[in-house]
Amino acid sequence: MACILLVSIQILLLILACCVWGPVLAEVSSSESACVAEECTALMQVNVKVKASSLGSGASEEGNEPLPVGRTILSTAPQEAAAWMVQYYENATLLSDLPGCANGDRAGVKLDLGSGETQILIFIQPSGGKWPVPFSEVIDATHIATIEVFEKGSGLNYTSWLDNNDGFQSTSFDISTAVDDGELVGKAFHYLDDGEVLGGDVVYFVAHTMYAIDQVHGGMSSKSAGDLYMNDCMLSSSTSRRTSSRRPWWKASFAVGDPAIAYSFAEKVLGAEPGVAQYPWPPAKDCTAEKVARFPESGFELHFVSSPEYQSPRNAIQVFTEMVLEFRDLSDGAFDPFMYNSLIMTVKNLDPYIERLRAQSRDFLLLNVGTSEYALFMTIPGSDSMVQLRSKSVSLASPMDKDSCLQEFPIDWA
């Protein structure tokens, strides 16, 4: 039944792309479009306080590379998603003073990662707009695909939807209790190219989202709802890199159609340098492909992953991504709900990044968040996900002003 429902959802998305988006956009007047865009944008206005003393002066100069501070995450039930985090994470604190938003629901948690490092997760459910792609159906599809993997009903040992994840060296996630409660928490094992088996990573979705966690040191003896064995061509020479970073939150991973294009964006726009990938390049047949971008000062990594061998149908994620990107228009200030899946990073000055975006002919959206703070939104090529740079300094572009939901977010991103 779950398999039939998953296929039905995927067919529905394809039908909506052809039969719903066009008529909807054609029927909505320009004034209505502006209203919807404003309502959507309002939900994103979470003010991030940036300490200038911790940042440098130029994009290519020491101290001004993007520093990860958190995420906004699309959710079908933000309050429940935040409560789920607090229930299973000892280091999670509910943000009870989070400002409200018009035309949507929002909740958040703060994770204390140790050594003075934190991560903020803001769960958002937009409402009041006409969404051509039903995001609730997409989130349901990711979880149905996961159920199919654990029940061995799809014939796959993994789902590519899990490639959209944050990687942690370790967390306070209560694996045992979560598994006992029926949560789909898996342990991932990889057959390496030298015949050995690498295993122990704990992987799972945060409830009511399409956001996943990859915990490197899950522990071989820890409980799981199922062991996921993957013959995905992982390179034995890359395994030492997985524990080389000293950051608790050491990577953000994205499912993309073309890892090379996504990496080029990270290098030419964000100023990252090559990292060590886990899979062969150029891509090999029936193998996962990956490009890794690494920020030299912090050591934080961006992983761009393509694993069509773990999709059913084989190009499901690419089809979904193309559907979203076909109607995304940052230059016109338009918002779609999948823009809420956004990695937030801070910089001192946005100008060098705007110069690079223009040099690469890439669209962006600059918003005035309030209290002299600005948010620069950009799409990761080949993905529906976003990178959002926050700063107090910009002069090369005029930020758009929005009237609603511009409350100051009372968190110090030290």
Short mmCIF file of all heavy atoms in Angstrom, two decimals, residues 179-203:
data_model
loop_
_atom_site.label_atom_id
_atom_site.label_comp_id
_atom_site.label_asym_id
_atom_site.label_seq_id
_atom_site.Cartn_x
_atom_site.Cartn_y
_atom_site.Cartn_z
N VAL A 179 14.00 4.54 18.88
CA VAL A 179 13.71 3.27 18.23
C VAL A 179 12.58 2.54 18.96
O VAL A 179 11.66 2.00 18.34
CB VAL A 179 14.97 2.39 18.17
CG1 VAL A 179 14.62 0.98 17.68
CG2 VAL A 179 16.01 3.01 17.24
N ASP A 180 12.62 2.55 20.29
CA ASP A 180 11.56 1.92 21.08
C ASP A 180 10.21 2.57 20.81
O ASP A 180 9.17 1.90 20.87
CB ASP A 180 11.88 2.00 22.57
CG ASP A 180 13.03 1.08 22.97
OD1 ASP A 180 13.35 0.16 22.19
OD2 ASP A 180 13.60 1.29 24.05
N ASP A 181 10.23 3.86 20.50
CA ASP A 181 8.99 4.58 20.22
C ASP A 181 8.51 4.38 18.78
O ASP A 181 7.49 4.95 18.38
CB ASP A 181 9.17 6.08 20.48
CG ASP A 181 9.30 6.40 21.97
OD1 ASP A 181 8.96 5.52 22.79
OD2 ASP A 181 9.72 7.52 22.29
N GLY A 182 9.25 3.62 18.01
CA GLY A 182 8.83 3.34 16.64
C GLY A 182 9.38 4.29 15.60
O GLY A 182 8.95 4.24 14.43
N GLU A 183 10.33 5.15 15.96
CA GLU A 183 10.92 6.06 14.99
C GLU A 183 11.84 5.28 14.04
O GLU A 183 12.52 4.34 14.44
CB GLU A 183 11.73 7.16 15.70
CG GLU A 183 10.91 8.04 16.61
CD GLU A 183 9.90 8.89 15.86
OE1 GLU A 183 10.13 9.19 14.67
OE2 GLU A 183 8.87 9.25 16.47
N LEU A 184 11.84 5.67 12.76
CA LEU A 184 12.64 4.99 11.75
C LEU A 184 14.07 5.52 11.78
O LEU A 184 14.45 6.42 11.02
CB LEU A 184 12.02 5.16 10.38
CG LEU A 184 10.64 4.51 10.21
CD1 LEU A 184 10.13 4.73 8.79
CD2 LEU A 184 10.69 3.03 10.53
N VAL A 185 14.85 4.97 12.68
CA VAL A 185 16.25 5.34 12.84
C VAL A 185 17.09 4.18 12.31
O VAL A 185 17.00 3.05 12.82
CB VAL A 185 16.59 5.61 14.32
CG1 VAL A 185 18.06 5.98 14.47
CG2 VAL A 185 15.69 6.71 14.88
N GLY A 186 17.89 4.44 11.29
CA GLY A 186 18.68 3.38 10.68
C GLY A 186 20.16 3.53 10.92
O GLY A 186 20.65 4.61 11.27
N LYS A 187 20.88 2.43 10.73
CA LYS A 187 22.34 2.45 10.73
C LYS A 187 22.81 2.14 9.32
O LYS A 187 22.41 1.13 8.73
CB LYS A 187 22.92 1.44 11.72
CG LYS A 187 22.83 1.90 13.17
CD LYS A 187 23.71 1.07 14.10
CE LYS A 187 23.28 -0.39 14.11
NZ LYS A 187 24.09 -1.17 15.09
N ALA A 188 23.65 3.02 8.78
CA ALA A 188 24.09 2.90 7.39
C ALA A 188 25.45 2.22 7.32
O ALA A 188 26.40 2.62 8.02
CB ALA A 188 24.15 4.28 6.74
N PHE A 189 25.55 1.20 6.48
CA PHE A 189 26.80 0.48 6.25
C PHE A 189 27.13 0.56 4.76
O PHE A 189 26.26 0.45 3.91
CB PHE A 189 26.66 -0.99 6.66
CG PHE A 189 26.40 -1.19 8.13
CD1 PHE A 189 25.11 -1.11 8.64
CD2 PHE A 189 27.45 -1.46 9.00
CE1 PHE A 189 24.87 -1.29 9.99
CE2 PHE A 189 27.21 -1.64 10.36
CZ PHE A 189 25.92 -1.56 10.85
N HIS A 190 28.43 0.74 4.47
CA HIS A 190 28.87 0.87 3.08
C HIS A 190 29.90 -0.21 2.76
O HIS A 190 30.88 -0.39 3.50
CB HIS A 190 29.51 2.25 2.85
CG HIS A 190 28.60 3.40 3.13
ND1 HIS A 190 27.85 4.01 2.15
CD2 HIS A 190 28.32 4.05 4.29
CE1 HIS A 190 27.15 5.00 2.70
NE2 HIS A 190 27.42 5.04 3.99
N TYR A 191 29.69 -0.90 1.64
CA TYR A 191 30.71 -1.80 1.11
C TYR A 191 31.74 -0.94 0.37
O TYR A 191 31.41 -0.30 -0.63
CB TYR A 191 30.10 -2.82 0.16
CG TYR A 191 29.17 -3.81 0.84
CD1 TYR A 191 27.79 -3.68 0.72
CD2 TYR A 191 29.68 -4.86 1.60
CE1 TYR A 191 26.93 -4.58 1.34
CE2 TYR A 191 28.83 -5.76 2.22
CZ TYR A 191 27.46 -5.63 2.09
OH TYR A 191 26.62 -6.52 2.71
N LEU A 192 32.96 -0.93 0.87
CA LEU A 192 34.00 -0.10 0.29
C LEU A 192 34.63 -0.77 -0.92
O LEU A 192 34.47 -1.99 -1.13
CB LEU A 192 35.07 0.21 1.33
CG LEU A 192 34.58 0.88 2.62
CD1 LEU A 192 35.76 1.11 3.56
CD2 LEU A 192 33.88 2.21 2.31
N ASP A 193 35.38 0.01 -1.70
CA ASP A 193 35.97 -0.53 -2.91
C ASP A 193 37.08 -1.53 -2.64
O ASP A 193 37.52 -2.25 -3.55
CB ASP A 193 36.47 0.60 -3.81
CG ASP A 193 37.52 1.47 -3.13
OD1 ASP A 193 37.66 1.39 -1.90
OD2 ASP A 193 38.20 2.24 -3.84
N ASP A 194 37.56 -1.61 -1.40
CA ASP A 194 38.60 -2.59 -1.07
C ASP A 194 38.02 -3.85 -0.42
O ASP A 194 38.76 -4.71 0.07
CB ASP A 194 39.65 -1.97 -0.15
CG ASP A 194 39.08 -1.52 1.19
OD1 ASP A 194 37.86 -1.69 1.41
OD2 ASP A 194 39.85 -1.00 2.03
N GLY A 195 36.68 -3.93 -0.38
CA GLY A 195 36.03 -5.11 0.16
C GLY A 195 35.65 -5.01 1.62
O GLY A 195 34.90 -5.85 2.13
N GLU A 196 36.17 -4.00 2.31
CA GLU A 196 35.82 -3.81 3.71
C GLU A 196 34.42 -3.19 3.83
O GLU A 196 33.85 -2.69 2.85
CB GLU A 196 36.85 -2.92 4.41
CG GLU A 196 38.25 -3.52 4.47
CD GLU A 196 38.30 -4.78 5.31
OE1 GLU A 196 37.62 -4.82 6.36
OE2 GLU A 196 39.00 -5.72 4.92
N VAL A 197 33.89 -3.19 5.05
CA VAL A 197 32.58 -2.60 5.32
C VAL A 197 32.74 -1.48 6.34
O VAL A 197 33.33 -1.68 7.41
CB VAL A 197 31.58 -3.65 5.86
CG1 VAL A 197 30.25 -2.99 6.20
CG2 VAL A 197 31.37 -4.76 4.84
N LEU A 198 32.26 -0.31 5.98
CA LEU A 198 32.26 0.83 6.89
C LEU A 198 30.85 1.00 7.41
O LEU A 198 29.89 1.02 6.64
CB LEU A 198 32.71 2.10 6.16
CG LEU A 198 32.66 3.39 6.98
CD1 LEU A 198 33.75 3.38 8.06
CD2 LEU A 198 32.84 4.61 6.08
N GLY A 199 30.69 1.12 8.72
CA GLY A 199 29.32 1.21 9.23
C GLY A 199 29.21 1.92 10.55
O GLY A 199 30.21 2.22 11.21
N GLY A 200 27.98 2.16 10.94
CA GLY A 200 27.70 2.76 12.22
C GLY A 200 27.04 4.10 12.17
O GLY A 200 26.53 4.59 13.18
N ASP A 201 27.03 4.78 11.00
CA ASP A 201 26.35 6.07 10.91
C ASP A 201 24.87 5.89 11.21
O ASP A 201 24.22 4.97 10.72
CB ASP A 201 26.48 6.66 9.50
CG ASP A 201 27.84 7.28 9.26
OD1 ASP A 201 28.81 6.87 9.93
OD2 ASP A 201 27.95 8.15 8.38
N VAL A 202 24.34 6.78 12.03
CA VAL A 202 22.91 6.77 12.33
C VAL A 202 22.23 7.81 11.45
O VAL A 202 22.67 8.97 11.39
CB VAL A 202 22.66 7.09 13.82
CG1 VAL A 202 21.17 7.23 14.11
CG2 VAL A 202 23.25 5.98 14.69
N VAL A 203 21.17 7.40 10.74
CA VAL A 203 20.48 8.29 9.82
C VAL A 203 18.98 8.26 10.10
O VAL A 203 18.42 7.20 10.39
CB VAL A 203 20.75 7.91 8.35
CG1 VAL A 203 22.21 8.16 7.98
CG2 VAL A 203 20.39 6.46 8.07
#
